[in-house]
Amino acid sequence: LPKLKNGQQPTKRHIIDEIRKVAVPFNRKYWVLSTDKQYTFDFAKEPAFTEPELARFIQLPEAELEHNDFVYALAMIGKQAGFSCHIGKKEQSAEYKAKPLGDLSVKTLDFLRGQQDYVIKHVEQIDVIWLDSGIPVMAFEIEHSTPFTTALERFVEILKLFPKLSGHLVLVASKRRKRKLTEVLTSSVFVGAPMYIDRKVAYLWYKQLRDLCGRFSTEQPTKSSLLEATIECFTTPRVD
């Protein structure tokens, strides 16, 4: 702690007081982690979302939101949990409330080194990728009005590099587009062999993403809690 910016040397009493918040004494010698799920020290707590644009994203009517609003929200919530984020090359240069979206993005994807230009081009254009130590853990394509097939082409290429991303490739769309999405996932060239991409994608309705952001506006996300909460929101791409 003293080596951190503005860090101070804690007293022994301060350390004990903080430990008591997350653990209980055992055998007068040890500390055992409490069963309470709030395992965050006061000095490690980060404030919930105070970013005005994220509050705007949660509160505005869906019809007033645009593609880059969703890109921004996904990048912000990912970074809040501790992931680094890559934003699609096209979106990086876009101005969002007087700032480039690229300010929220890592500049390069190291895992693409040595890959064919075709692969690089498609993966770099994925709208948002959450990364943990440089490895993708979830990828998102926001389909506001563009064809779903474009997103699936990009997902195919990153899935070849990271097969474990199966089930973590997310199409984010308005529920109004459900029928069109289901049509693509049941009748397009992406259905079935060899990639079975129709079985490896999930989708997230705009409302569900906004609810997710709303939840973590009052609860500090961790990597695991954000991934778990996001997966809980997934919808199987089939018409009711």
Side-chain angles (χ1 to χ4, degrees), residues 190-210:
F190 296 98
V191 176
M195 292 297 291
Y196 295 98
I197 196 70
D198 52 304
R199 303 179 187 178
K200 298 176 180 179
V201 299
Y203 54 37
L204 193 62
W205 301 131
Y206 286 169
K207 181 183 184 303
Q208 292 168 312
L209 175 56
R210 296 171 75 193

Side-chain angles (χ1 to χ4, degrees), residues 34-184:
S34 169
T35 55
D36 186 341
K37 293 185 178 180
Q38 302 300 321
Y39 296 145
T40 307
F41 295 115
D42 280 350
F43 57 75
K45 287 181 180 176
E46 296 182 32
F49 290 132
T50 55
E51 182 66 37
E53 294 308 326
L54 200 54
R56 170 183 171 275
F57 172 78
I58 297 168
Q59 296 166 4
L60 270 183
E62 181 180 306
E64 296 183 26
L65 296 171
E66 300 180 351
H67 177 273
N68 285 348
D69 289 307
F70 295 95
V71 172
Y72 177 86
L74 282 165
M76 282 297 295
I77 196 173
K79 290 174 71 67
Q80 185 77 0
F83 292 116
S84 53
C85 297
H86 184 270
I87 292 175
K89 284 290 186 180
K90 179 181 177 181
E91 285 74 24
Q92 283 186 32
S93 59
E95 290 285 323
Y96 188 82
K97 306 305 174 185
K99 293 182 180 179
L101 277 172
D103 287 355
L104 300 175
S105 176
V106 298
K107 302 310 175 187
T108 59
L109 291 169
D110 291 342
F111 63 80
L112 288 178
R113 290 176 183 169
Q115 298 296 328
Q116 296 179 345
D117 289 345
Y118 178 86
V119 175
I120 295 172
K121 177 182 176 181
H122 279 71
V123 173
E124 283 185 338
Q125 292 299 339
I126 293 173
D127 286 329
V128 179
I129 303 173
W130 289 345
L131 302 152
D132 192 8
S133 299
I135 303 300
V137 295
M138 200 165 281
F140 302 86
E141 275 285 299
I142 296 93
E143 298 307 312
H144 201 61
S145 59
T146 51
F148 290 110
T149 51
T150 301
L152 297 180
E153 288 172 358
R154 296 170 181 173
F155 283 164
V156 164
E157 296 308 318
I158 196 170
L159 190 60
K160 290 177 182 176
L161 300 177
F162 297 97
K164 290 185 178 180
L165 275 176
S166 177
H168 288 192
L169 305 170
V170 191
L171 291 166
V172 185
S174 168
K175 197 168 185 178
R176 294 190 301 271
R177 303 195 73 194
K178 180 176 183 178
R179 187 169 296 277
K180 180 61 178 177
L181 175 55
T182 301
E183 179 184 320
V184 171

Side-chain angles (χ1 to χ4, degrees), residues 4-20:
L4 298 177
K5 186 177 180 180
N6 299 322
Q8 296 180 356
Q9 177 67 52
T11 65
K12 290 183 179 180
R13 171 51 53 190
H14 183 199
I15 293 172
I16 294 296
D17 287 344
E18 291 297 327
I19 291 175
R20 287 186 186 279

